[in-house]
């Protein structure tokens, strides 16, 4: 398992903080239930950060007729919407909710040539908010398949 580079500083800081807190508590208070409980809190946060920034190796399907999920999580919306950024017509929107336990990375769902990409700075609305798909920070990517689609 790899760790995404954006998480290195956060993970290092949280691990050092956990080590200093736990070391200090055990040094000054000795081993007791209270010391173990209080020491566990920053250790749990460090483990959470490691899990959050993990970057597992993914193996693409390799079939140009199949679309794989671009993200871990749960599909919460599948609906037809008016797409006004690139195609300017009706397209199928698939929204995936990523909880804090999911890998927070996105992959291309199909093989092909990236024809268009644009990062949209935006808000950080909760995922179930109706406008989160259009107002949250996101990236648009258009991929042209070998057959021209």
């Amino acid at each position: 398992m790899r760790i995404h580079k954006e998480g290195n500083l956060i993970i290092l800081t949280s691990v050092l903080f956990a080590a200093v807190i736990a070391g200090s508590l055990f040094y000054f208070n000795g081993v007791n239930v209270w010391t173990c409980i209080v020491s566990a809190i920053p250790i749990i946060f460090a483990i959470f950060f490691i899990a959050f920034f993990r970057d597992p190796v993914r193996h693409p399907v390799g079939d140009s007729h199949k679309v794989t999920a671009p993200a871990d999580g749960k599909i919460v919306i599948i609906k037809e919407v008016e797409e006004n950024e690139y195609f300017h017509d009706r397209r199928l929107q698939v929204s995936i909710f990523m909880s804090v336990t999911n890998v927070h990375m996105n992959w291309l769902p199909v093989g092909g040539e990236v024809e268009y990409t644009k990062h949209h700075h935006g808000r950080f609305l909760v995922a179930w908010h109706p406008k989160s798909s259009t107002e949250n920070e996101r990236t648009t990517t258009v991929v042209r398949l070998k057959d021209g689609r």
Side-chain angles (χ1 to χ4, degrees):
M1 176 183 70
R2 300 173 303 204
I3 300 293
H4 192 274
K5 65 181 179 178
E6 299 295 328
N8 288 341
L9 183 60
I10 293 170
I11 291 168
L12 178 64
T13 304
S14 66
V15 168
L16 289 174
F17 179 75
V20 167
I21 294 297
S24 298
L25 286 171
F26 283 111
Y27 180 78
F28 291 113
N29 297 329
V31 178
N32 60 53
V33 174
W34 180 250
T35 302
C36 292
I37 291 171
V38 174
S39 296
I41 294 169
I43 292 170
I44 290 169
F45 274 101
I47 292 169
F48 168 78
F49 289 133
I50 292 168
F52 186 83
F53 287 105
R54 70 193 184 279
D55 180 8
V57 176
R58 300 291 173 153
H59 301 286
V61 175
D63 185 342
S64 63
H65 298 290
K66 292 183 180 177
V67 177
T68 58
D72 291 350
K74 179 181 178 182
I75 295 175
V76 292
I77 295 173
I78 299 176
K79 67 179 181 179
E80 193 173 283
V81 297
E82 189 68 32
E83 193 285 321
N84 293 316
E85 182 179 343
Y86 185 82
F87 293 104
H88 305 288
D89 64 4
R90 308 268 313 152
R91 295 291 163 151
L92 193 61
Q93 172 186 321
V94 179
S95 296
I96 300 173
F97 170 73
M98 293 187 287
S99 74
V100 294
T101 60
N102 292 122
V103 174
H104 278 65
M105 298 191 71
N106 290 287
W107 296 271
L108 290 177
V110 293
E113 184 177 330
V114 175
E115 190 167 286
Y116 172 82
T117 184
K118 182 177 181 183
H119 179 81
H120 303 271
H121 295 281
R123 301 170 64 185
F124 294 95
L125 299 171
V126 291
W128 54 84
H129 192 284
K131 293 186 177 184
S132 64
S133 294
T134 55
E135 293 187 14
N136 276 0
E137 182 169 353
R138 67 197 183 285
T139 301
T140 301
T141 306
V142 177
V143 179
R144 181 171 299 281
L145 303 179
K146 290 180 182 178
D147 66 6
R149 291 181 292 148

